[in-house]
Coordinates of all heavy atoms in Angstrom, one line a residue:
P1280 N -7.9 -11.8 -1.1 CA -7.4 -10.7 -0.3 C -6.7 -11.2 1.0 O -7.0 -12.2 1.5 CB -8.7 -9.9 0.0 CG -9.6 -10.3 -1.1 CD -9.3 -11.7 -1.5
Q1281 N -5.9 -10.3 1.6 CA -5.2 -10.7 2.8 C -6.1 -10.5 4.0 O -7.2 -10.0 3.9 CB -4.0 -9.7 3.0 CG -3.0 -9.9 1.9 CD -1.9 -8.9 1.9 OE1 -2.2 -7.7 2.2 NE2 -0.7 -9.3 1.7
K1282 N -5.7 -11.0 5.2 CA -6.4 -10.8 6.4 C -6.6 -9.3 6.7 O -5.7 -8.5 6.4 CB -5.6 -11.4 7.6 CG -5.5 -12.9 7.5 CD -4.6 -13.3 8.7 CE -4.2 -14.8 8.6 NZ -3.4 -15.2 9.7
P1283 N -7.8 -9.0 7.2 CA -8.0 -7.5 7.5 C -6.9 -7.1 8.5 O -6.6 -7.7 9.5 CB -9.4 -7.5 8.2 CG -10.0 -8.8 7.7 CD -8.9 -9.8 7.5
G1284 N -6.4 -5.9 8.2 CA -5.4 -5.3 9.1 C -4.0 -5.8 8.9 O -3.1 -5.4 9.6
V1285 N -3.7 -6.7 8.0 CA -2.4 -7.3 7.8 C -1.9 -6.9 6.4 O -2.6 -7.2 5.4 CB -2.3 -8.8 8.0 CG1 -1.0 -9.3 7.6 CG2 -2.8 -9.2 9.4
I1286 N -0.8 -6.3 6.3 CA -0.2 -5.9 5.0 C 1.2 -6.4 4.9 O 2.0 -6.1 5.8 CB -0.2 -4.3 4.8 CG1 -1.7 -3.8 4.9 CG2 0.4 -3.9 3.5 CD1 -1.7 -2.3 5.1
D1287 N 1.5 -7.1 3.9 CA 2.9 -7.5 3.6 C 3.5 -6.6 2.6 O 3.0 -6.4 1.5 CB 2.9 -8.9 3.0 CG 2.4 -10.0 4.0 OD1 2.7 -9.8 5.2 OD2 1.8 -10.9 3.6
I1288 N 4.6 -5.9 3.0 CA 5.3 -5.0 2.1 C 6.7 -5.6 2.0 O 7.5 -5.7 2.9 CB 5.3 -3.6 2.7 CG1 3.9 -3.1 2.9 CG2 6.2 -2.7 1.8 CD1 3.8 -1.8 3.5
V1289 N 7.1 -5.9 0.7 CA 8.4 -6.4 0.5 C 9.4 -5.4 0.3 O 10.5 -5.4 1.0 CB 8.3 -7.3 -0.8 CG1 9.7 -7.9 -1.1 CG2 7.3 -8.5 -0.6
K1290 N 9.2 -4.4 -0.5 CA 10.2 -3.4 -0.8 C 9.5 -2.1 -1.2 O 8.6 -2.0 -2.0 CB 11.1 -3.9 -2.0 CG 12.3 -3.0 -2.2 CD 13.1 -3.6 -3.4 CE 14.5 -3.7 -3.0 NZ 15.3 -4.2 -4.1
I1291 N 10.0 -1.0 -0.6 CA 9.5 0.3 -0.9 C 10.7 1.2 -1.2 O 11.6 1.3 -0.4 CB 8.6 0.9 0.3 CG1 7.4 0.1 0.6 CG2 8.2 2.3 -0.1 CD1 6.7 0.5 1.8
H1292 N 10.6 2.0 -2.2 CA 11.7 2.9 -2.5 C 11.2 4.3 -2.1 O 10.2 4.8 -2.5 CB 12.0 3.0 -4.0 CG 12.5 1.7 -4.6 ND1 13.8 1.3 -4.4 CD2 11.9 0.6 -5.2 CE1 14.0 0.1 -4.9 NE2 12.8 -0.3 -5.4
V1293 N 12.0 4.9 -1.2 CA 11.6 6.2 -0.7 C 12.9 7.1 -0.6 O 14.0 6.6 -0.5 CB 11.0 6.2 0.8 CG1 9.7 5.4 0.8 CG2 12.0 5.5 1.8
D1294 N 12.6 8.4 -0.6 CA 13.7 9.4 -0.5 C 13.8 9.6 1.0 O 12.9 10.2 1.7 CB 13.3 10.7 -1.2 CG 14.3 11.8 -1.0 OD1 15.2 11.7 -0.2 OD2 14.1 12.8 -1.7
E1295 N 14.9 9.1 1.6 CA 15.1 9.2 3.1 C 15.0 10.7 3.6 O 14.5 10.9 4.7 CB 16.4 8.6 3.5 CG 16.4 7.1 3.3 CD 17.7 6.5 3.8 OE1 18.2 6.8 4.9 OE2 18.2 5.6 3.1
K1296 N 15.4 11.6 2.8 CA 15.4 13.0 3.2 C 13.9 13.5 3.4 O 13.7 14.4 4.2 CB 16.1 13.9 2.2 CG 17.6 13.6 2.1 CD 18.2 14.4 1.0 CE 19.6 13.9 0.7 NZ 20.1 14.4 -0.6
H1297 N 13.0 12.9 2.7 CA 11.6 13.3 2.7 C 10.8 12.7 3.9 O 9.8 13.2 4.3 CB 10.9 13.0 1.4 CG 9.5 13.4 1.3 ND1 9.1 14.8 1.4 CD2 8.4 12.7 1.1 CE1 7.8 14.8 1.3 NE2 7.4 13.6 1.1
V1298 N 11.3 11.5 4.3 CA 10.6 10.7 5.3 C 10.2 11.5 6.6 O 9.1 11.5 7.1 CB 11.3 9.4 5.7 CG1 10.7 8.8 6.9 CG2 11.4 8.5 4.5
D1299 N 11.1 12.3 7.1 CA 10.9 13.0 8.4 C 9.9 14.1 8.2 O 9.4 14.7 9.2 CB 12.2 13.6 8.9 CG 13.1 12.5 9.4 OD1 12.6 11.4 9.9 OD2 14.3 12.6 9.4
H1300 N 9.6 14.6 7.0 CA 8.7 15.7 6.7 C 7.3 15.3 6.5 O 6.4 16.2 6.4 CB 9.2 16.5 5.6 CG 10.6 17.0 5.7 ND1 11.0 18.0 6.6 CD2 11.8 16.6 5.2 CE1 12.3 18.2 6.6 NE2 12.8 17.3 5.7
V1301 N 7.0 14.0 6.4 CA 5.6 13.6 6.1 C 4.7 13.6 7.3 O 5.2 13.5 8.4 CB 5.5 12.3 5.3 CG1 6.3 12.3 4.0 CG2 6.1 11.1 6.2
N1302 N 3.4 13.7 7.1 CA 2.4 13.8 8.2 C 1.8 12.5 8.3 O 1.0 12.0 7.4 CB 1.4 14.9 7.8 CG 0.4 15.1 8.8 OD1 0.3 14.4 9.8 ND2 -0.4 16.1 8.6
L1303 N 2.0 11.8 9.5 CA 1.3 10.5 9.7 C -0.2 10.6 9.9 O -0.8 9.6 10.0 CB 2.0 9.8 10.9 CG 3.4 9.3 10.6 CD1 4.0 8.7 11.9 CD2 3.5 8.4 9.5
D1304 N -0.7 11.8 10.1 CA -2.2 12.0 10.2 C -2.9 11.7 8.8 O -4.1 11.5 8.8 CB -2.5 13.3 10.7 CG -2.1 13.5 12.2 OD1 -2.1 12.5 12.9 OD2 -1.8 14.6 12.6
E1305 N -2.1 11.9 7.7 CA -2.7 11.6 6.4 C -2.7 10.1 6.2 O -1.7 9.4 6.5 CB -1.8 12.3 5.3 CG -1.8 13.8 5.4 CD -3.2 14.4 5.1 OE1 -3.8 13.8 4.2 OE2 -3.5 15.4 5.7
P1306 N -3.7 9.5 5.6 CA -3.8 8.1 5.4 C -3.0 7.6 4.2 O -2.7 8.4 3.3 CB -5.3 7.9 5.1 CG -5.8 9.1 4.5 CD -5.0 10.2 5.2
V1307 N -2.6 6.4 4.3 CA -1.9 5.7 3.2 C -3.1 5.2 2.4 O -4.1 4.8 2.9 CB -1.1 4.5 3.8 CG1 -0.6 3.6 2.7 CG2 0.1 5.0 4.6
I1308 N -2.9 5.1 1.1 CA -4.0 4.6 0.2 C -3.5 3.3 -0.4 O -2.4 3.2 -1.0 CB -4.3 5.6 -1.0 CG1 -4.8 6.9 -0.3 CG2 -5.4 5.0 -1.9 CD1 -5.1 8.0 -1.3
L1309 N -4.3 2.3 -0.2 CA -4.0 0.9 -0.7 C -4.9 0.5 -1.8 O -6.1 0.8 -1.7 CB -4.1 -0.1 0.5 CG -3.2 0.2 1.7 CD1 -3.5 -0.8 2.8 CD2 -1.7 0.1 1.3
A1310 N -4.4 -0.1 -2.8 CA -5.2 -0.6 -3.9 C -4.8 -2.1 -4.2 O -3.8 -2.5 -3.8 CB -5.0 0.2 -5.1
Y1311 N -5.7 -2.8 -4.8 CA -5.4 -4.2 -5.2 C -4.5 -4.2 -6.4 O -4.7 -3.3 -7.3 CB -6.7 -4.9 -5.5 CG -7.5 -5.3 -4.2 CD1 -8.4 -4.4 -3.7 CD2 -7.1 -6.4 -3.6 CE1 -9.1 -4.8 -2.5 CE2 -7.8 -6.8 -2.4 CZ -8.7 -5.9 -1.9 OH -9.4 -6.2 -0.7
G1312 N -3.6 -5.1 -6.4 CA -2.6 -5.2 -7.6 C -3.4 -5.6 -8.8 O -4.6 -5.9 -8.8
L1313 N -2.7 -5.6 -9.9 CA -3.3 -5.9 -11.2 C -3.8 -7.3 -11.1 O -3.3 -8.2 -10.4 CB -2.2 -5.8 -12.3 CG -1.7 -4.4 -12.5 CD1 -0.6 -4.5 -13.6 CD2 -2.8 -3.5 -13.0
K1314 N -4.9 -7.6 -11.9 CA -5.4 -8.9 -12.0 C -4.4 -9.9 -12.6 O -3.6 -9.5 -13.5 CB -6.7 -8.9 -12.9 CG -7.8 -8.2 -12.3 CD -9.0 -8.3 -13.2 CE -10.2 -7.6 -12.6 NZ -11.4 -7.6 -13.4
A1315 N -4.5 -11.1 -12.2 CA -3.5 -12.1 -12.8 C -3.9 -12.4 -14.2 O -5.0 -12.2 -14.7 CB -3.7 -13.4 -12.0
R1316 N -2.8 -12.8 -15.0 CA -3.0 -13.1 -16.4 C -3.9 -14.4 -16.4 O -3.9 -15.2 -15.5 CB -1.7 -13.4 -17.1 CG -0.8 -12.1 -17.2 CD 0.4 -12.4 -18.1 NE 1.0 -13.6 -17.8 CZ 2.2 -13.8 -17.2 NH1 2.8 -12.7 -16.7 NH2 2.7 -14.9 -17.0
A1317 N -4.5 -14.6 -17.5 CA -5.4 -15.8 -17.7 C -4.7 -17.1 -17.5 O -5.3 -18.1 -17.1 CB -6.1 -15.7 -19.1
D1318 N -3.4 -17.1 -17.8 CA -2.6 -18.4 -17.7 C -2.0 -18.6 -16.3 O -1.4 -19.6 -16.1 CB -1.5 -18.4 -18.8 CG -0.5 -17.3 -18.6 OD1 -0.8 -16.3 -18.0 OD2 0.6 -17.5 -19.1
E1319 N -2.2 -17.7 -15.4 CA -1.7 -17.9 -14.0 C -2.7 -18.6 -13.1 O -3.9 -18.4 -13.2 CB -1.3 -16.5 -13.4 CG -0.2 -15.9 -14.2 CD 0.2 -14.5 -13.6 OE1 -0.6 -14.0 -12.7 OE2 1.2 -14.0 -14.0
T1320 N -2.2 -19.5 -12.3 CA -3.1 -20.2 -11.4 C -3.5 -19.4 -10.2 O -4.5 -19.6 -9.6 CB -2.4 -21.5 -11.0 OG1 -1.1 -21.2 -10.3 CG2 -2.2 -22.5 -12.1
D1321 N -2.6 -18.5 -9.7 CA -2.9 -17.7 -8.5 C -3.7 -16.5 -9.0 O -3.1 -15.5 -9.5 CB -1.6 -17.3 -7.8 CG -1.9 -16.6 -6.5 OD1 -3.1 -16.3 -6.2 OD2 -0.9 -16.3 -5.8
K1322 N -5.0 -16.4 -8.7 CA -5.8 -15.3 -9.2 C -6.0 -14.3 -8.1 O -6.8 -13.3 -8.3 CB -7.2 -15.8 -9.6 CG -7.1 -16.9 -10.7 CD -6.7 -16.3 -12.0 CE -6.8 -17.3 -13.1 NZ -6.1 -17.0 -14.3
R1323 N -5.4 -14.4 -6.9 CA -5.5 -13.5 -5.9 C -4.9 -12.1 -6.2 O -3.9 -12.1 -6.9 CB -4.9 -14.0 -4.6 CG -5.6 -15.2 -4.0 CD -4.8 -15.7 -2.8 NE -3.5 -16.2 -3.3 CZ -2.5 -16.5 -2.4 NH1 -2.7 -16.5 -1.2 NH2 -1.4 -16.9 -2.9
R1324 N -5.5 -11.1 -5.7 CA -5.0 -9.7 -5.9 C -4.5 -9.2 -4.5 O -5.3 -9.3 -3.6 CB -6.0 -8.8 -6.5 CG -6.5 -9.3 -7.9 CD -7.6 -8.5 -8.4 NE -7.1 -7.1 -8.8 CZ -7.9 -6.2 -9.2 NH1 -9.2 -6.4 -9.4 NH2 -7.4 -5.0 -9.5
H1325 N -3.3 -8.8 -4.4 CA -2.8 -8.4 -3.2 C -2.8 -6.8 -3.0 O -2.6 -6.1 -4.0 CB -1.4 -8.9 -3.0 CG -1.3 -10.4 -3.1 ND1 -1.6 -11.2 -2.1 CD2 -1.0 -11.2 -4.2 CE1 -1.4 -12.4 -2.4 NE2 -1.1 -12.5 -3.7
L1326 N -3.0 -6.4 -1.8 CA -3.0 -4.9 -1.6 C -1.6 -4.4 -1.7 O -0.7 -5.0 -1.3 CB -3.6 -4.6 -0.2 CG -5.1 -4.9 0.0 CD1 -5.4 -4.8 1.5 CD2 -5.9 -3.8 -0.8
Q1327 N -1.5 -3.2 -2.2 CA -0.3 -2.5 -2.4 C -0.5 -1.0 -2.2 O -1.5 -0.5 -2.6 CB 0.4 -2.8 -3.7 CG -0.4 -2.4 -4.9 CD 0.2 -2.9 -6.2 OE1 0.6 -4.1 -6.2 NE2 0.2 -2.1 -7.2
P1328 N 0.5 -0.3 -1.6 CA 0.3 1.1 -1.4 C 0.5 1.8 -2.8 O 1.4 1.5 -3.6 CB 1.5 1.5 -0.5 CG 2.5 0.4 -0.7 CD 1.7 -0.8 -1.0
I1329 N -0.5 2.8 -3.0 CA -0.4 3.6 -4.2 C -0.1 5.0 -3.9 O 0.2 5.9 -4.7 CB -1.6 3.5 -5.1 CG1 -2.9 3.9 -4.4 CG2 -1.8 2.1 -5.7 CD1 -4.1 4.1 -5.3
D1330 N -0.2 5.3 -2.6 CA 0.1 6.7 -2.0 C 0.5 6.5 -0.6 O -0.3 5.8 0.2 CB -1.0 7.7 -2.2 CG -0.6 9.0 -1.7 OD1 0.3 9.6 -2.3 OD2 -1.2 9.5 -0.7
G1331 N 1.6 7.0 -0.1 CA 1.9 7.0 1.3 C 3.1 6.1 1.6 O 3.3 5.8 2.8
S1332 N 4.0 5.8 0.7 CA 5.1 5.0 0.9 C 6.0 5.7 2.0 O 6.6 5.0 2.8 CB 5.9 4.8 -0.3 OG 5.2 4.0 -1.2
H1333 N 6.2 7.0 1.9 CA 7.0 7.7 2.8 C 6.4 7.7 4.2 O 7.1 7.7 5.2 CB 7.2 9.2 2.4 CG 8.2 9.3 1.2 ND1 7.7 9.2 -0.1 CD2 9.5 9.4 1.2 CE1 8.8 9.3 -0.9 NE2 9.8 9.4 -0.2
R1334 N 5.0 7.7 4.3 CA 4.4 7.6 5.6 C 4.6 6.3 6.2 O 4.8 6.1 7.4 CB 2.9 8.0 5.5 CG 2.7 9.5 5.1 CD 1.2 9.9 5.2 NE 0.4 9.3 4.1 CZ 0.4 9.8 2.8 NH1 1.1 10.8 2.5 NH2 -0.4 9.2 1.9
I1335 N 4.6 5.2 5.4 CA 4.8 3.9 5.9 C 6.3 3.8 6.4 O 6.5 3.3 7.5 CB 4.6 2.8 4.8 CG1 3.2 2.7 4.4 CG2 5.2 1.5 5.2 CD1 2.9 1.9 3.1
A1336 N 7.2 4.4 5.7 CA 8.6 4.4 6.1 C 8.8 5.1 7.4 O 9.5 4.7 8.3 CB 9.5 5.0 5.0
K1337 N 8.1 6.2 7.6 CA 8.2 7.0 8.8 C 7.6 6.2 10.0 O 8.2 6.2 11.1 CB 7.6 8.4 8.7 CG 7.7 9.2 9.9 CD 7.1 10.6 9.7 CE 7.4 11.5 10.9 NZ 6.9 12.9 10.6
A1338 N 6.5 5.6 9.8 CA 5.9 4.8 10.8 C 6.8 3.7 11.3 O 6.9 3.5 12.5 CB 4.5 4.3 10.3
I1339 N 7.4 3.0 10.3 CA 8.4 2.0 10.7 C 9.5 2.6 11.5 O 10.0 2.0 12.5 CB 8.9 1.2 9.4 CG1 7.7 0.4 8.8 CG2 10.0 0.3 9.7 CD1 8.0 -0.1 7.4
K1340 N 10.1 3.7 11.0 CA 11.2 4.3 11.6 C 10.9 4.7 13.1 O 11.7 4.6 14.0 CB 11.6 5.6 10.8 CG 12.8 6.3 11.4 CD 13.1 7.5 10.5 CE 14.2 8.3 11.1 NZ 14.6 9.5 10.3
L1341 N 9.7 5.1 13.3 CA 9.2 5.6 14.7 C 8.7 4.4 15.5 O 8.4 4.6 16.7 CB 8.2 6.7 14.6 CG 8.7 8.0 13.9 CD1 7.5 9.0 13.8 CD2 9.8 8.6 14.7
G1342 N 8.6 3.2 14.9 CA 8.2 2.1 15.7 C 6.7 2.0 15.8 O 6.2 1.2 16.7
H1343 N 5.9 2.6 15.0 CA 4.5 2.5 15.0 C 4.0 1.2 14.4 O 4.6 0.8 13.4 CB 3.8 3.6 14.2 CG 4.0 5.0 14.8 ND1 3.1 5.6 15.6 CD2 5.0 5.9 14.7 CE1 3.5 6.8 16.0 NE2 4.7 7.0 15.4
A1344 N 3.1 0.5 15.0 CA 2.6 -0.8 14.5 C 1.5 -0.6 13.5 O 1.2 -1.5 12.7 CB 2.1 -1.6 15.7
T1345 N 0.9 0.6 13.5 CA -0.2 0.8 12.5 C -0.1 2.2 11.9 O 0.6 3.1 12.4 CB -1.6 0.7 13.2 OG1 -1.7 1.7 14.2 CG2 -1.8 -0.7 13.8
V1346 N -0.8 2.4 10.7 CA -0.9 3.7 10.1 C -2.4 3.8 9.6 O -3.0 2.8 9.4 CB 0.0 3.9 8.9 CG1 1.5 3.9 9.3 CG2 -0.2 2.8 7.9
K1347 N -2.8 5.0 9.5 CA -4.2 5.2 9.0 C -4.1 4.8 7.5 O -3.2 5.1 6.8 CB -4.6 6.6 9.1 CG -4.8 7.1 10.5 CD -5.1 8.6 10.6 CE -5.2 9.1 12.0 NZ -5.6 10.5 12.1
C1348 N -5.2 4.2 7.0 CA -5.2 3.9 5.6 C -6.6 3.8 5.1 O -7.6 3.7 5.8 CB -4.5 2.5 5.3 SG -5.3 1.1 5.9
I1349 N -6.7 4.0 3.8 CA -7.9 3.9 3.0 C -7.6 2.7 2.0 O -6.6 2.7 1.3 CB -8.2 5.2 2.2 CG1 -8.5 6.3 3.2 CG2 -9.4 5.0 1.2 CD1 -8.6 7.7 2.5
I1350 N -8.5 1.8 2.0 CA -8.4 0.6 1.1 C -9.4 0.7 0.0 O -10.6 0.7 0.3 CB -8.5 -0.7 1.9 CG1 -7.5 -0.8 3.0 CG2 -8.4 -1.9 0.9 CD1 -7.6 -2.0 3.9
L1351 N -9.0 0.9 -1.2 CA -9.9 1.0 -2.3 C -10.5 -0.4 -2.6 O -9.8 -1.4 -2.4 CB -9.2 1.4 -3.6 CG -8.5 2.8 -3.5 CD1 -7.9 3.1 -4.9 CD2 -9.5 3.9 -3.2
T1352 N -11.7 -0.5 -3.0 CA -12.3 -1.8 -3.4 C -11.6 -2.3 -4.7 O -11.0 -1.5 -5.4 CB -13.8 -1.7 -3.6 OG1 -14.0 -0.8 -4.7 CG2 -14.5 -1.1 -2.4
E1353 N -11.9 -3.5 -5.0 CA -11.3 -4.0 -6.3 C -11.9 -3.2 -7.5 O -11.2 -2.9 -8.4 CB -11.6 -5.5 -6.5 CG -10.7 -6.3 -5.5 CD -10.7 -7.8 -5.8 OE1 -10.4 -8.2 -6.9 OE2 -11.0 -8.5 -4.8
D1354 N -13.2 -2.9 -7.4 CA -13.8 -2.1 -8.5 C -13.2 -0.7 -8.6 O -12.9 -0.2 -9.7 CB -15.3 -2.0 -8.3 CG -16.1 -3.3 -8.5 OD1 -15.6 -4.1 -9.3 OD2 -17.2 -3.4 -8.0
E1355 N -13.0 0.0 -7.4 CA -12.4 1.3 -7.4 C -10.9 1.2 -8.0 O -10.5 2.1 -8.8 CB -12.3 1.9 -6.0 CG -13.7 2.2 -5.5 CD -13.6 2.6 -4.0 OE1 -12.8 2.0 -3.2 OE2 -14.5 3.4 -3.6
T1356 N -10.2 0.2 -7.6 CA -8.9 -0.1 -8.1 C -8.9 -0.2 -9.6 O -8.1 0.4 -10.4 CB -8.2 -1.3 -7.5 OG1 -8.1 -1.1 -6.1 CG2 -6.9 -1.6 -8.1
D1357 N -9.8 -1.0 -10.2 CA -9.9 -1.2 -11.6 C -10.2 0.1 -12.4 O -9.7 0.2 -13.5 CB -11.0 -2.3 -11.9 CG -10.6 -3.7 -11.5 OD1 -9.4 -3.9 -11.2 OD2 -11.5 -4.5 -11.3
K1358 N -10.9 1.0 -11.8 CA -11.2 2.2 -12.4 C -10.0 3.2 -12.6 O -10.0 4.0 -13.5 CB -12.3 3.0 -11.7 CG -13.7 2.3 -11.8 CD -14.8 3.0 -11.0 CE -16.1 2.2 -11.1 NZ -17.1 2.8 -10.3
I1359 N -9.0 3.0 -11.7 CA -7.9 3.9 -11.7 C -6.7 3.3 -12.4 O -5.7 4.0 -12.7 CB -7.5 4.5 -10.3 CG1 -7.0 3.4 -9.4 CG2 -8.7 5.2 -9.7 CD1 -6.4 3.8 -8.2
L1360 N -6.7 2.0 -12.6 CA -5.5 1.4 -13.2 C -5.6 1.3 -14.7 O -6.6 1.2 -15.3 CB -5.3 0.0 -12.6 CG -4.9 -0.1 -11.2 CD1 -4.7 -1.6 -10.8 CD2 -3.6 0.6 -11.0

């Protein structure tokens, strides 16, 4: 897992028209990515947004350094994937 409070986001696809209408009081939901295949050497699972991409985009647009978020545990993630 990554350092607490640090999220690396490479690319998010959002509808720019929708960004201004989202509520930053609602949390972003983060989950752990899929488990690595058995033949891969890197077994780490990285956090990724599963809900709230538009809120992340709005926060970046407004210059916010943080957003509210809920981080699912690896077990919770496995149950929904």
Side-chain angles (χ1 to χ4, degrees):
Q1281 296 172 320
K1282 294 179 190 176
V1285 175
I1286 301 168
D1287 293 324
I1288 299 174
V1289 176
K1290 189 180 231 182
I1291 299 175
H1292 297 280
V1293 295
D1294 176 353
E1295 291 183 45
K1296 296 174 193 166
H1297 182 60
V1298 169
D1299 291 330
H1300 303 287
V1301 298
N1302 182 353
L1303 289 179
D1304 290 331
E1305 295 292 323
V1307 171
I1308 300 176
L1309 303 173
Y1311 285 91
L1313 297 173
K1314 291 182 180 179
R1316 295 189 315 253
D1318 62 338
E1319 292 180 349
T1320 56
D1321 185 357
K1322 302 291 185 196
R1323 293 176 295 171
R1324 297 175 73 181
H1325 301 279
L1326 288 170
Q1327 59 191 42
I1329 60 170
D1330 182 64
S1332 297
H1333 288 88
R1334 292 187 291 279
I1335 293 169
K1337 183 174 184 175
I1339 291 168
K1340 180 178 178 180
L1341 296 176
H1343 292 266
T1345 61
V1346 293
K1347 295 178 184 179
C1348 69
I1349 295 171
I1350 301 174
L1351 301 181
T1352 65
E1353 290 190 56
D1354 287 338
E1355 290 170 327
T1356 298
D1357 291 340
K1358 289 178 184 176
I1359 64 167
L1360 293 180

